[in-house]
C-alpha cells in the first residue's frame, strides 16, 4: 500500500538512491494513496511508498519553497526567488529524493504560459507602487519585471502584496529572472518531473470558452516540449481541473482543495466529500488536500483511497 507524507528536502535522509525512478513513482501516484502528514511552511510536497520498498519522492513547492517575506526564518523569506529556473534547479540539486518541482502557470494576454503565483504583479516608479493583473500583461511586459537575463539591463523592481494588504519589496538572497513555461522545459534538469498547477483568479468568472483557450495554450507547450518528462496537472479551479482532463488523457490530473478549512462561493471547493465527487465525475486521478482537512477528518483517507480509488497528496502546515 502506498503511503504519502511531507517533508522538507533538507530533512530527508541522505541514504537514498541517487536517481529515483520518476516514471514508476508517477504510476504510483495515479494508482494508490494513503495516510498524509504536513509540510513545514510549504517548502515541499512529498510522497513515499516505503512499505513497498520504493524511495521517498519529494515535490519542491515553487522550486525550493515559496518566498514568505515576513517569516522570521531567512530560508522561507527568500533563499532563492520562487518559481524561477534557479529555484527549480536548486531544488533538483539539493537532494536526490527531489523528483518533482511544482509551479504555477498563468497565460498572458498574448497567449504565452508564464510561471508566476500571484494574480497581480507590483512595482514602484517615482515613489508610487502600482500593480497589474498578470493575465492583462503581454509577455514582454511581464518579463520586464525583476532581474533581467540580458547583462546590463535593469528590470522593474518587484514588490509583493501580502494577504493582510501590506505591499513589501520582494527581496531574496539568490535572484533569477521570471520565466515562461517553455523555458522551464528546456532549462530545468530532466531528472525532475513537473507538477503544473493551473492558476486562476478566485475573483474572476471564467466561461468554458475562456478556460479552453487558456488550457489549450498550456497544453500546446507541454505536448511540444515535455518529451518523456513526467507531468502532473493540478488546479483549485474545479472547471479547469475537469476540462484539462477532457482535453487530454496522457497526464494525470489532481484537484487541489482546502477541504473546508476556507469557505468559497463554489461549494465544490468546500469539503473533501465535494472534492471526491468532482474527481469521480470528471475522471480525475486524485486530490491534493490542505493537510488540516485530512487531520480533522482522518476517515476521509479511506474514503478517498479505498472507496473511490483516488490518489491523495497533502500540502500546508499545522498551526
Amino acid at each position: 500500500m502506498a503511503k504519502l507524507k511531507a517533508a522538507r528536502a533538507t530533512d530527508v535522509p541522505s541514504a537514498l538512491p541517487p536517481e529515483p525512478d520518476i516514471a514508476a513513482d508517477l504510476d504510483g501516484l495515479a494508482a494508490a494513496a494513503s495516510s498524509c502528514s504536513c509540510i513545514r511552511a510549504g517548502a515541499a510536497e512529498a510522497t513515499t511508498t516505503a512499505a513497498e520498498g520504493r524511495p521517498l519522492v519529494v515535490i519542491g513547492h515553487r522550486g525550493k519553497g515559496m518566498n514568505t517575506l515576513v517569516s522570521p526564518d531567512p530560508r522561507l523569506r527568500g533563499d532563492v526567488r520562487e518559481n524561477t529556473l534557479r529555484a527549480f534547479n536548486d531544488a533538483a540539486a539539493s537532494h536526490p529524493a527531489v523528483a518533482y518541482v511544482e509551479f504555477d502557470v498563468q497565460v498572458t494576454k498574448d497567449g504565452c504560459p508564464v510561471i508566476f503565483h500571484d494574480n497581480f504583479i507590483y512595482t514602484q516608479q517615482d515613489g508610487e507602487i502600482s500593480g497589474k493583473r498578470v493575465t492583462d500583461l503581454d509577455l514582454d511586459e511581464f518579463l520586464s519585471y525583476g532581474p533581467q537575463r540580458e547583462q546590463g539591463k535593469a528590470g522593474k523592481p518587484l514588490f509583493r502584496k501580502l494577504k493582510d494588504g501590506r505591499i513589501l519589496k520582494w527581496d531574496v538572497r539568490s535572484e533569477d529572472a521570471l520565466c515562461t513555461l517553455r523555458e522551464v522545459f528546456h532549462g530545468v534538469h530532466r531528472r525532475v518531473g513537473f507538477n503544473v498547477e493551473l492558476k486562476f483568479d478566485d475573483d474572476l468568472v471564467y466561461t468554458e470558452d475562456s478556460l479552453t483557450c487558456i488550457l489549450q495554450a498550456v497544453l500546446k507547450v507541454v505536448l511540444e516540449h515535455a518529451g518523456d518528462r513526467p507531468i502532473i496537472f493540478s488546479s483549485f479551479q474545479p472547471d479547469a481541473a475537469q476540462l484539462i482532463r477532457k482535453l487530454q488523457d496522457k497526464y494525470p490530473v489532481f484537484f487541489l482543495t482546502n477541504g473546508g478549512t476556507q469557505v468559497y462561493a463554489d461549494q465544490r471547493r468546500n469539503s473533501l466529500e465535494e472534492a471526491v465527487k468532482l474527481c469521480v465525475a470528471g475522471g480525475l486521478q486524485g486530490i491534493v488536500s490542505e493537510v488540516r482537512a485530512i487531520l480533522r477528518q482522518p476517515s476521509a483517507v479511506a474514503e478517498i483511497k479505498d472507496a473511490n480509488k483516488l490518489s491523495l497528496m497533502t500540502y500546508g502546515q499545522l498551526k
Side-chain angles (χ1 to χ4, degrees):
M1 179 183 298
K3 293 185 178 181
L4 303 179
K5 73 174 186 178
R8 185 188 300 282
T10 52
D11 294 337
V12 178
S14 59
L16 288 174
E19 295 288 339
D21 186 344
I22 298 173
D25 284 300
L26 183 64
D27 292 339
L29 287 175
S34 58
S35 61
C36 303
S37 62
C38 74
I39 291 171
R40 287 194 295 161
E45 298 170 5
T47 69
T48 179
T49 54
E52 296 178 356
R54 286 161 61 186
L56 186 76
V57 179
V58 180
I59 302 176
H61 183 220
R62 307 186 201 173
K64 287 195 73 177
M66 65 181 289
N67 299 149
T68 308
L69 300 184
V70 295
S71 173
D73 187 336
R75 297 174 301 172
L76 302 182
R77 285 199 303 271
D79 176 48
V80 60
R81 182 169 296 284
E82 66 179 48
N83 274 332
T84 61
L85 299 183
R86 177 168 293 176
F88 304 142
N89 282 314
D90 281 4
S94 66
H95 199 283
V98 179
Y100 295 85
V101 291
E102 178 269 353
F103 49 77
D104 308 277
V105 176
Q106 303 184 58
V107 176
T108 61
K109 72 175 183 180
D110 52 349
C112 183
V114 296
I115 313 302
F116 199 76
H117 174 271
D118 300 0
N119 297 319
F120 286 81
I121 190 167
Y122 291 85
T123 192
Q124 185 179 54
Q125 185 175 6
D126 299 327
E128 295 290 327
I129 296 176
S130 62
K132 293 185 177 181
R133 192 182 297 277
V134 171
T135 53
D136 287 342
L137 304 176
D138 61 26
L139 176 62
D140 287 342
E141 186 175 5
F142 171 76
L143 294 177
S144 72
Y145 288 80
Q148 300 294 295
R149 299 206 187 282
E150 184 180 333
Q151 190 172 4
K153 185 177 181 180
K156 300 174 185 176
L158 269 172
F159 285 71
R160 183 171 226 175
K161 188 173 185 178
L162 308 183
K163 289 184 178 180
D164 62 12
R166 287 180 293 166
I167 300 178
L168 303 179
K169 190 172 182 182
W170 197 342
D171 287 328
V172 296
R173 289 187 293 182
S174 183
E175 280 286 11
D176 198 14
L178 302 181
C179 60
T180 67
L181 180 59
R182 184 182 184 280
E183 287 175 320
V184 170
F185 276 108
H186 292 277
V188 176
H189 198 295
R190 294 206 60 83
R191 185 182 69 78
V192 291
F194 292 162
N195 179 353
V196 180
E197 181 180 338
L198 305 164
K199 192 76 177 176
F200 295 92
D201 190 334
D202 291 341
D203 295 327
L204 297 181
V205 176
Y206 297 89
T207 64
E208 183 172 347
D209 286 346
S210 66
L211 283 177
T212 299
C213 184
I214 293 166
L215 296 177
Q216 285 179 335
V218 175
L219 271 176
K220 183 176 187 296
V221 175
V222 172
L223 294 174
E224 287 180 357
H225 301 283
D228 59 357
R229 189 191 298 267
I231 304 294
I232 303 168
F233 286 116
S234 60
S235 185
F236 282 102
Q237 220 285 355
D239 296 320
Q242 290 188 313
L243 186 54
I244 194 71
R245 185 60 183 157
K246 290 180 181 178
L247 292 173
Q248 61 84 42
D249 60 6
K250 182 175 182 179
Y251 302 114
V253 179
F254 282 67
F255 179 53
L256 279 156
T257 179
N258 290 311
T261 59
Q262 291 178 258
V263 178
Y264 298 90
D266 191 331
Q267 292 300 314
R268 295 173 296 177
R269 300 184 62 182
N270 288 339
S271 70
L272 292 170
E273 291 81 5
E274 288 295 328
V276 168
K277 289 180 185 176
L278 183 136
C279 289
V280 171
L284 277 61
Q285 281 68 37
I287 293 169
V288 183
S289 172
E290 212 280 351
V291 66
R292 290 175 298 169
I294 296 295
L295 296 180
R296 291 174 184 177
Q297 191 181 346
S299 61
V301 174
E303 177 67 18
I304 293 167
K305 180 179 69 70
D306 297 327
N308 291 284
K309 308 302 181 186
L310 297 171
S311 295
L312 174 64
M313 293 188 283
T314 64
Y315 71 92
Q317 59 183 337
L318 295 177
K319 296 180 180 179

